[in-house]
């Protein structure tokens, strides 16, 4: 069995961007913009070693062959709501990749995640990139991974912005074959299973939803 790889990409640029996410006065537009920026860094890191194919293109010097990713081998799957700007970011960078949507919501009292709706393209034999901003208990990501595994993905990669050690350990134990690229691992979870220090409710912050 493959060992799960958790890679934290907490570079100075990313720490600076995450500080803006933590700031209460950052509005939804700026928040979503930063989430998209960080997603691009994570995507680049996650896919830096993937196989390439050759493409013949017309250039100013005639037809030449260059290496590109085969975008048809990839699917991006977002966990609603917070993962939406991350999906937009991936699709702005790789506009030909197929996308899927999972509506997963944590119960406010039990903090357990529940899947309400799924809409996935064909994932069989593909590399599926699951995107979500927060990885708290890890329940939502595990739900998403299970759906994507049922859809026969060949490889699963998760991109997350902020996570808690407890949740990462839970995902690691439950799905040791999934690679996680995360920009910041925070301290822990509080009694309401919110990430500390975290940034509050990511979906609310992105879309200016009052508590
Ligand atoms: C948040 C977040 C993750 C989930 C993480 O979503 O966007 O999906 O919580 O928590 P977990 O690791 O403990 O499962 P939430 O359920 O609040 O829905 P929302 O995006 O609509 O706010
Ligand atoms: N979901 C969020 O949006 N924030 C947290 O801290 C935990 C779960």
């Amino acid at each position: 069995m493959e060992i799960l790889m958790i890679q934290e990409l907490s570079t100075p640029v990313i720490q600076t961007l995450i500080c803006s996410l933590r700031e209460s006065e950052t509005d939804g537009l700026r928040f979503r913009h930063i989430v998209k920026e960080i997603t691009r860094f994570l995507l680049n890191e996650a896919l830096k070693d993937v196989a390439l194919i050759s493409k013949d293109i017309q250039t100013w010097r005639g037809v030449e062959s260059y290496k590109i990713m085969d975008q048809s081998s990839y699917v991006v799957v977002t966990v609603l709501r917070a993962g939406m700007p991350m999906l937009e970011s991936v699709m702005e960078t790789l506009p030909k990749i197929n996308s899927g949507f999972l509506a997963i919501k944590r119960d406010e009292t039990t903090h357990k995640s529940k899947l309400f709706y799924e809409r996935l393209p064909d994932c069989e034999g593909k590399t599926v990139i699951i995107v979500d901003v927060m990885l708290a208990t890890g329940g939502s990501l595990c739900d998403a991974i299970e759906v994507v595994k049922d859809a026969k993905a060949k490889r699963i990669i998760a991109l997350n912005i902020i996570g808690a050690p407890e949740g990462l350990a839970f995902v690691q134990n439950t799905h040791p074959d999934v690679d996680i690229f995360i920009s910041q691992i925070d301290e822990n979870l509080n009694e309401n299973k919110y990430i500390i220090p975290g940034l509050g409710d990511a979906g609310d912050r992105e879309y200016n939803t009052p508590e």
Side-chain angles (χ1 to χ4, degrees):
M1 183 180 285
E2 280 182 58
I3 302 298
L4 171 88
M5 189 179 69
I6 298 174
Q7 192 163 321
E8 189 185 21
L9 208 68
S10 184
T11 63
V13 170
I14 286 181
Q15 284 186 47
T16 304
L17 292 173
I18 287 177
C19 180
S20 292
L21 292 182
R22 298 193 203 273
E23 243 183 309
S24 300
E25 70 171 25
T26 300
D27 62 28
L29 181 65
R30 173 87 184 126
F31 193 100
R32 296 194 304 276
H33 176 78
I34 295 170
V35 165
K36 288 166 78 175
E37 287 290 313
I38 297 173
T39 303
R40 265 183 265 279
F41 290 118
L42 292 172
L43 181 72
N44 188 54
E45 186 65 23
L47 301 184
K48 73 178 179 197
D49 295 323
V50 301
L52 299 174
I53 56 169
S54 295
K55 182 177 183 183
D56 290 341
I57 56 166
Q58 182 71 46
T59 76
W60 66 292
R61 303 191 315 159
V63 175
E64 292 177 335
S65 184
Y66 288 95
K67 300 283 186 197
I68 59 166
M69 283 175 56
D70 177 7
Q71 293 187 41
S72 66
S73 309
Y74 297 85
V75 173
V76 58
V77 172
T78 187
V79 178
L80 301 174
R81 285 171 299 169
M84 265 315 289
M86 298 184 75
L87 175 131
E88 285 295 329
S89 174
V90 171
M91 295 194 72
E92 283 165 10
T93 304
L94 301 173
K96 291 188 165 55
I97 90 171
N98 290 153
S99 63
F101 300 82
L102 298 175
I104 298 173
K105 177 87 187 83
R106 296 201 320 176
D107 183 281
E108 307 270 329
T109 314
T110 65
H111 315 298
K112 283 205 171 311
S113 52
K114 185 175 169 197
L115 174 71
F116 288 91
Y117 168 80
E118 64 178 275
R119 182 82 170 84
L120 293 187
D122 179 17
C123 295
E124 189 166 354
K126 309 221 170 154
T127 295
V128 176
I129 304 161
I130 300 173
V131 293
D132 195 357
V133 174
M134 308 301 269
L135 194 169
T137 65
S140 301
L141 181 55
C142 283
D143 286 355
I145 290 169
E146 274 152 33
V147 175
V148 169
K149 281 189 172 174
D150 284 347
K152 300 189 169 68
K154 180 181 76 178
R155 182 183 175 204
I156 302 174
I157 297 170
L159 306 184
N160 301 102
I161 306 284
I162 298 185
E166 303 94 308
L168 282 159
F170 178 63
V171 180
Q172 179 164 38
N173 290 333
T174 315
H175 296 287
D177 50 346
V178 172
D179 294 321
I180 301 178
F181 291 82
I182 188 158
S183 50
Q184 177 71 46
I185 301 174
D186 270 356
E187 289 164 21
N188 54 15
L189 297 174
N190 71 7
E191 60 283 4
N192 293 320
K193 306 295 182 199
Y194 268 77
I195 297 174
I196 301 300
L199 44 74
D201 185 302
D204 289 357
R205 297 291 311 280
E206 284 174 346
Y207 296 107
N208 294 341
T209 312
E211 282 173 27

